[in-house]
Amino acid sequence: MSESWQQYQMRVPYKDTDQMGVVHHGNYIFWFEAARIEFMRHYGFSYFDLEERGFYLPVIDVNINYKKSAHFDDAVGIFTKINSFSPIRLTFYYEARRINKEVSNQIDNNISIETKGELLAYGTTEHTWMNADWKPARIHKTLPEVYQILKSLTS
Amino acid sequence: MSESWQQYQMRVPYKDTDQMGVVHHGNYIFWFEAARIEFMRHYGFSYFDLEERGFYLPVIDVNINYKKSAHFDDAVGIFTKINSFSPIRLTFYYEARRINKEVSNQIDNNISIETKGELLAYGTTEHTWMNADWKPARIHKTLPEVYQILKSLTS
Amino acid sequence: MSESWQQYQMRVPYKDTDQMGVVHHGNYIFWFEAARIEFMRHYGFSYFDLEERGFYLPVIDVNINYKKSAHFDDAVGIFTKINSFSPIRLTFYYEARRINKEVSNQIDNNISIETKGELLAYGTTEHTWMNADWKPARIHKTLPEVYQILKSLTS
Amino acid sequence: MSESWQQYQMRVPYKDTDQMGVVHHGNYIFWFEAARIEFMRHYGFSYFDLEERGFYLPVIDVNINYKKSAHFDDAVGIFTKINSFSPIRLTFYYEARRINKEVSNQIDNNISIETKGELLAYGTTEHTWMNADWKPARIHKTLPEVYQILKSLTS
């Protein structure tokens, strides 16, 4: 199985630090969200467009494991892929890695995982597809083109 | 003119600190919001209820002046009053003060301003009243009971 | 085994909502932090004091499972207990529950878990004890009084 | 006087929205901070480097005026310039503008202010230079190269 990663790059904002002098653990959940939204845009199922059409993807489970501290102004790449999916569920996997500041403006989605930089944290978010009535949406029927994209990204 | 203050008490959360070892300046805007919501509840015009009825009070201007740093776990009182109002506008004034941790569970809304503790920051937020169609609401006609409360709080 | 819970009560701030009209999932991690700090204060090992003495308790793993949406102005109780501990590790367990607004100023730490209100989310945070040199601290030797408290809370 | 603007570009994150369906007013203060840090890097006085050398630039006053709502996924440009400075003070001016999503990856620092896009909010932050002992630093003596940069940016 080939895996389709997407990289989202950012600088660690000052506000994300705390008095330990490192990034507060609570911020990674927001970094993962930004990376997820760029992942979806990149692969053709923009979350903005999906909400416009009346579909929502709320988070039902988050897990984050912290390996190294991130610091203010670090260049960080969030590497995202689909972990698993079904007609009603979708799970993303993320790795936050410290990347070389000099290359921070280069985005290479075919980058090999071994060379992605120092691992700071990894985690998953699990989601359910909901429709405008806030009922579970079975997307193989309601969003078949998105279901095909998810298939193609994991095969 | 007698002034009607309301005190909102809180502990400084760890997440509000940054790597300078003090509270990041951006957090006061959220402290003021929490204090404003308790002020409105205390004086009988709950913001939750107003939104339920289709009225909104978006912020159109914020000003904050910082005097002293706040630290993690400080007991802080946010002292709020109405600065000015009209049928379409409302301005709140706030003071964030470091209060004695030992008395932090006592709330005394008649506390004199001189004894409120060390001033950390003060500021204002200016708001406009909007209706459910996101048009300006002239509250002396649409929310006369709220207009009366505002009059009574500033006379 | 009797369990020692501690309840932390709060109102859902407006800023914690997002455009789905409910609390953004990322905020619970901060609610759990505030609850953990009050838990530690309540049981006699204040985190503020521990940091003053050169001990830190960084988070190495977070897991949150979301059951129901929380809304602006909801009264929420965060119920916290120790899940497990060792000389170098500490895991907390949390439940966020919607509580009756009318009783929101009553804090009853002996409240039975069945009557705590509607479950919104639950989760864990795992921590390691670190010393001022940012090395793992074996607290049965360096903080024996804290180690005793942890024993008493879980036996 | 020619003015030296710097543009910082971003996408509005989902977490920055609130239940009004627009960006919560409190987030602009963080957007301005990110823009200020990129401004300083661009013009050769990186804030990261200055802190490493023992200089700090805490905020002593913030003012923000809100004109239009920003929405999730909007491409936003923050346009920053120096408003005024002295050996001990520094004031930045910012404009947050909605920019064309199609051009959102083009950064043109010579862009004329008239064509920068729809104005969402503008504001200022005032700072004092502090040294490692948290005393005011008179930078024409302690950081003369930075003082020269500030002169060149405002003349």
Side-chain angles (χ1 to χ4, degrees):
Chain A
M1 190 180 90
S2 79
E3 288 173 330
S4 297
W5 293 85
Q6 159 73 4
Q7 183 184 174
Y8 167 76
Q9 294 194 339
M10 53 171 284
R11 286 274 187 184
V12 173
Y14 201 85
K15 72 169 178 73
D16 285 0
T17 63
D18 67 22
Q19 71 180 32
M20 280 190 207
V22 299
V23 169
H24 189 282
H25 64 281
N27 293 293
Y28 289 79
I29 209 165
F30 302 117
W31 299 0
F32 290 176
E33 177 177 83
R36 177 170 69 248
I37 285 165
E38 293 311 316
F39 179 98
M40 294 175 73
R41 189 194 324 279
H42 179 76
Y43 287 115
F45 57 126
S46 147
Y47 185 65
F48 178 87
D49 292 344
L50 288 169
E51 274 210 359
E52 290 278 297
R53 294 169 61 190
F55 293 92
Y56 299 86
L57 202 48
V59 175
I60 57 169
D61 192 88
V62 167
N63 188 38
I64 307 175
N65 190 278
Y66 303 90
K67 308 302 283 182
K68 297 268 184 184
S69 298
H71 299 91
F72 165 56
D73 221 35
D74 278 352
V76 171
I78 311 292
F79 297 82
T80 306
K81 64 170 183 171
I82 302 290
N83 220 17
S84 66
F85 73 101
S86 77
I88 54 169
R89 293 282 175 91
L90 180 54
T91 304
F92 291 90
Y93 172 78
Y94 314 84
E95 291 179 0
R97 289 175 176 269
R98 185 178 285 123
I99 56 181
N100 190 317
K101 292 194 188 194
E102 277 63 44
V103 300
S104 71
N105 289 318
Q106 292 180 284
I107 296 180
D108 177 2
N109 295 311
N110 299 313
I111 197 164
S112 85
I113 190 168
E114 288 76 15
T115 60
K116 286 189 297 185
E118 186 182 18
L119 184 61
L120 301 170
Y122 62 89
T124 56
T125 59
E126 187 178 351
H127 307 253
T128 43
W129 290 100
M130 304 294 270
N131 65 23
D133 301 322
W134 211 247
K135 302 285 181 200
R138 301 185 68 83
I139 65 158
H140 63 317
K141 294 187 176 165
T142 53
L143 290 169
E145 73 284 12
V146 173
Y147 197 66
Q148 281 308 119
I149 292 170
L150 293 172
K151 271 191 180 168
S152 72
L153 290 177
T154 51
S155 63
Chain B
M1 189 181 90
S2 79
E3 288 173 330
S4 297
W5 293 87
Q6 158 73 2
Q7 183 184 175
Y8 168 76
Q9 294 194 340
M10 52 171 284
R11 286 274 186 184
V12 173
Y14 201 85
K15 72 169 179 72
D16 284 1
T17 62
D18 66 21
Q19 69 180 33
M20 280 190 207
V22 298
V23 169
H24 188 283
H25 64 281
N27 294 295
Y28 289 80
I29 207 165
F30 302 117
W31 299 0
F32 290 176
E33 177 176 84
R36 178 170 68 249
I37 284 165
E38 292 312 317
F39 179 98
M40 294 175 73
R41 190 195 321 278
H42 179 76
Y43 286 114
F45 58 125
S46 146
Y47 185 65
F48 178 87
D49 293 343
L50 288 170
E51 275 210 358
E52 290 278 298
R53 294 169 62 189
F55 293 93
Y56 300 86
L57 202 48
V59 175
I60 57 169
D61 192 86
V62 167
N63 188 39
I64 307 175
N65 190 278
Y66 303 90
K67 307 303 284 181
K68 297 269 185 185
S69 298
H71 299 92
F72 166 56
D73 221 35
D74 278 352
V76 171
I78 311 292
F79 298 81
T80 305
K81 64 169 181 170
I82 303 289
N83 220 16
S84 66
F85 73 101
S86 77
I88 55 170
R89 293 281 176 91
L90 181 54
T91 304
F92 290 89
Y93 172 78
Y94 314 84
E95 292 179 358
R97 290 176 175 269
R98 185 178 286 121
I99 55 180
N100 190 317
K101 292 193 189 196
E102 277 63 44
V103 300
S104 72
N105 289 318
Q106 293 179 282
I107 297 181
D108 178 0
N109 294 311
N110 299 314
I111 197 164
S112 83
I113 189 166
E114 288 77 15
T115 60
K116 286 189 297 186
E118 186 182 17
L119 183 62
L120 302 170
Y122 62 88
T124 57
T125 58
E126 187 177 351
H127 306 253
T128 43
W129 290 102
M130 305 293 271
N131 65 22
D133 301 323
W134 210 247
K135 303 285 182 202
R138 301 185 68 82
I139 65 157
H140 62 318
K141 294 188 175 163
T142 53
L143 290 169
E145 74 285 13
V146 173
Y147 197 65
Q148 281 307 118
I149 292 170
L150 294 172
K151 270 191 182 167
S152 73
L153 290 177
T154 51
S155 63
Chain C
M1 188 181 91
S2 78
E3 288 174 330
S4 297
W5 294 85
Q6 158 73 2
Q7 183 184 176
Y8 167 77
Q9 295 194 338
M10 52 170 285
R11 286 273 186 185
V12 174
Y14 201 85
K15 72 169 179 74
D16 285 0
T17 62
D18 66 22
Q19 70 180 33
M20 279 190 207
V22 299
V23 169
H24 188 283
H25 63 282
N27 293 295
Y28 289 80
I29 208 166
F30 302 118
W31 299 359
F32 289 176
E33 177 177 83
R36 178 170 68 249
I37 285 166
E38 293 311 317
F39 180 98
M40 294 175 74
R41 189 194 324 278
H42 179 76
Y43 286 115
F45 58 124
S46 147
Y47 186 62
F48 179 86
D49 292 344
L50 288 170
E51 274 210 358
E52 290 278 298
R53 294 168 62 189
F55 292 93
Y56 300 85
L57 202 49
V59 175
I60 58 169
D61 193 87
V62 166
N63 188 38
I64 306 175
N65 190 279
Y66 304 89
K67 307 303 284 181
K68 297 269 184 184
S69 298
H71 300 91
F72 165 56
D73 222 34
D74 278 352
V76 171
I78 312 292
F79 298 81
T80 306
K81 64 170 180 169
I82 303 290
N83 221 16
S84 66
F85 73 101
S86 76
I88 56 170
R89 293 280 175 92
L90 181 53
T91 303
F92 290 90
Y93 172 79
Y94 315 84
E95 292 179 359
R97 289 175 176 270
R98 184 179 288 121
I99 55 180
N100 190 317
K101 292 194 190 197
E102 278 62 45
V103 300
S104 72
N105 289 317
Q106 294 180 281
I107 297 181
D108 177 1
N109 295 311
N110 300 313
I111 197 164
S112 85
I113 188 167
E114 288 77 14
T115 60
K116 286 188 298 186
E118 186 182 17
L119 183 61
L120 302 171
Y122 62 88
T124 56
T125 57
E126 186 177 352
H127 306 253
T128 42
W129 290 101
M130 304 294 270
N131 65 22
D133 301 322
W134 210 248
K135 302 286 182 200
R138 301 185 68 83
I139 65 158
H140 62 317
K141 293 187 177 167
T142 54
L143 290 169
E145 75 285 12
V146 173
Y147 197 66
Q148 282 307 118
I149 293 169
L150 295 172
K151 270 191 181 168
S152 73
L153 290 176
T154 52
S155 64
Chain D
M1 189 181 89
S2 79
E3 288 173 331
S4 297
W5 293 86
Q6 159 72 3
Q7 182 184 174
Y8 167 77
Q9 294 194 339
M10 53 171 285
R11 286 274 186 184
V12 173
Y14 201 85
K15 72 169 178 73
D16 285 1
T17 62
D18 66 23
Q19 71 180 33
M20 280 190 207
V22 298
V23 169
H24 187 284
H25 64 281
N27 294 293
Y28 290 79
I29 208 165
F30 302 118
W31 299 0
F32 289 177
E33 177 177 83
R36 176 170 70 248
I37 285 166
E38 293 311 317
F39 180 98
M40 294 175 74
R41 191 195 323 279
H42 179 76
Y43 286 115
F45 58 124
S46 147
Y47 186 64
F48 179 87
D49 292 343
L50 288 170
E51 273 210 359
E52 290 278 297
R53 293 168 62 189
F55 293 92
Y56 300 86
L57 202 49
V59 175
I60 58 169
D61 192 87
V62 166
N63 188 38
I64 306 175
N65 190 278
Y66 304 89
K67 307 302 284 181
K68 297 267 184 185
S69 298
H71 300 92
F72 165 56
D73 222 36
D74 279 352
V76 171
I78 312 291
F79 298 81
T80 306
K81 64 171 182 169
I82 303 290
N83 221 15
S84 65
F85 74 101
S86 76
I88 55 171
R89 294 280 176 91
L90 181 55
T91 303
F92 290 90
Y93 172 78
Y94 314 84
E95 291 179 1
R97 288 174 175 269
R98 185 178 286 121
I99 55 180
N100 190 317
K101 291 194 190 196
E102 278 63 45
V103 300
S104 72
N105 289 317
Q106 292 180 283
I107 297 181
D108 177 1
N109 295 311
N110 299 313
I111 198 166
S112 85
I113 190 167
E114 288 78 15
T115 60
K116 287 189 297 186
E118 186 182 18
L119 183 61
L120 302 170
Y122 62 88
T124 56
T125 58
E126 187 178 352
H127 306 254
T128 42
W129 291 100
M130 303 295 269
N131 64 23
D133 301 322
W134 212 248
K135 302 285 182 201
R138 301 185 69 83
I139 64 157
H140 63 317
K141 294 188 176 165
T142 53
L143 289 169
E145 74 284 12
V146 173
Y147 197 66
Q148 281 307 119
I149 292 170
L150 294 172
K151 271 190 181 168
S152 73
L153 290 176
T154 52
S155 64

